[in-house]
Amino acid sequence: MCKQELLTLIEQKRSELIQVAMKSGLSSSAAIRYSQELDALLNEYNRSFIKKVQTH
């Protein structure tokens, strides 16, 4: 996955999380699921793009 595609997915997931949290609360099961999905995307971004920059 290219950097721009991943950034787009991160922004979409962040927006979804905000909407769910506003509707159901931050501790709802849906908000927790979206938060975990966002964490996974952010971790993938860090593994793929951030650490490569720091090692060069």
Side-chain angles (χ1 to χ4, degrees):
M1 182 178 313
C2 79
K3 185 175 182 178
Q4 191 55 49
E5 289 172 330
L6 190 52
L7 287 172
T8 298
L9 286 174
I10 288 169
E11 288 306 315
Q12 288 173 344
K13 191 58 66 178
R14 183 177 287 137
S15 178
E16 291 170 357
L17 171 58
I18 291 168
Q19 293 301 315
V20 166
M22 287 178 18
K23 182 178 179 182
S24 304
L26 279 174
S27 59
S28 68
S29 60
I32 291 169
R33 185 177 69 250
Y34 280 104
S35 178
Q36 291 170 337
E37 292 170 1
L38 177 59
D39 286 346
L41 290 169
L42 291 168
N43 288 336
E44 178 62 29
Y45 181 84
N46 284 333
R47 276 192 302 273
S48 298
F49 302 107
I50 299 300
K51 291 186 179 178
K52 286 182 183 176
V53 171
Q54 292 174 350
T55 60
H56 289 222

